[in-house]
Amino acid sequence: MSQNIFLIGFMGAGKSTVARELRDHYGMRLIEMDEQIEAEEGRPISQIFAESGEAYFRTLETQLLLSLEHESNTVVSCGGGVPLREENVAAMRLSGTIVYLCAAPETIYERVKDFHTRPLLEGNMNVEYIKNLMAQRIPKYQSAADITVTADGSDVRAVCEEILRNVLHTHSRID
Ligand code: S3P
């Protein structure tokens, strides 16, 4: 595939799992934004937030996205906050299709509850908090998305097939 796929959605929606599947079974290159930022900074996300603040982290996200303009055949697993900045959405549009993976707050909670790697959920690990934060973000996810795919309960392979079918269809309409 010449184009890139940007997976957006709330923490725990399954972006990383789907991205790995697209790499392993569909031959795409994978960029996991959080991992790349951690590697470049030499410290985990939680430490970046604690030492340098969220705004600093958000700028690193934007810089990373801008650097991807010349990539192709790459799936980018975005941090959950990426679509909050308009400039990030514009950068993604330049080089790929934006796929919103959505899942219910209860599903998200089950997936994230045992991890302590997400500073926004530390001390807020409950369905109510997830529901509220998700409600604030859904308009951003929806307006950024070229394609929306539901990812709760579905088998990861089926999610990938739905994404690829939709991406190819979207392309044939644009081309
Ligand atoms: C965040 C999501 C996280 C990570 C950071 C902030 C967010 O990524 O970028 O903790 O604001 O939703 P995942 O969506 O991969 O968990």
Side-chain angles (χ1 to χ4, degrees):
M1 162 153 6
S2 62
Q3 274 245 343
N4 304 308
I5 293 177
F6 293 91
L7 296 177
I8 63 165
F10 204 80
M11 297 170 265
K15 293 165 291 183
S16 302
T17 308
V18 169
R20 280 196 296 271
E21 183 79 5
L22 287 170
R23 175 195 61 194
D24 295 344
H25 295 283
Y26 298 88
M28 298 189 77
R29 198 168 96 80
L30 167 62
I31 293 176
E32 176 69 53
M33 285 188 66
D34 286 348
E35 273 178 19
Q36 186 141 334
I37 288 173
E38 287 182 333
E40 280 167 15
E41 283 285 299
R43 50 188 177 150
I45 304 284
S46 52
Q47 203 176 334
I48 300 174
F49 267 65
E51 291 174 353
S52 308
E54 181 175 349
Y56 176 82
F57 172 73
R58 299 297 176 200
T59 299
L60 295 178
E61 288 186 312
T62 301
Q63 285 168 351
L64 174 53
L65 282 170
L66 290 171
S67 75
L68 302 180
E69 195 186 340
H70 301 294
E71 294 292 333
S72 61
N73 192 37
T74 297
V75 55
V76 183
S77 176
C78 296
V82 159
L84 302 181
R85 279 193 180 185
E86 262 319 304
E87 59 192 313
N88 294 349
V89 176
M92 293 190 282
R93 276 199 208 300
L94 274 184
S95 67
T97 305
I98 305 176
V99 178
Y100 169 32
L101 278 189
C102 62
E106 292 76 12
T107 310
I108 300 280
Y109 172 72
E110 285 305 320
R111 290 183 185 156
V112 299
K113 67 179 182 342
D114 297 326
F115 293 90
H116 297 283
T117 49
R118 297 179 174 97
L120 298 182
L121 296 181
E122 281 306 287
N124 299 314
M125 198 60 92
N126 59 76
V127 174
E128 207 47 38
Y129 182 84
I130 290 171
K131 212 179 258 179
N132 286 332
L133 185 57
M134 194 186 281
Q136 290 168 34
R137 289 182 168 191
I138 280 176
K140 299 276 185 193
Y141 293 146
Q142 286 178 336
S143 76
D146 295 308
I147 294 163
T148 299
V149 175
T150 304
D152 27 14
S154 331
D155 165 73
V156 62
R157 186 64 76 94
V159 170
C160 290
E161 282 169 7
E162 189 176 346
I163 290 172
L164 293 173
R165 231 186 356 263
N166 278 291
V167 168
L168 293 174
H169 181 67
T170 305
H171 268 257
S172 62
R173 277 197 329 236
I174 294 169
D175 294 342

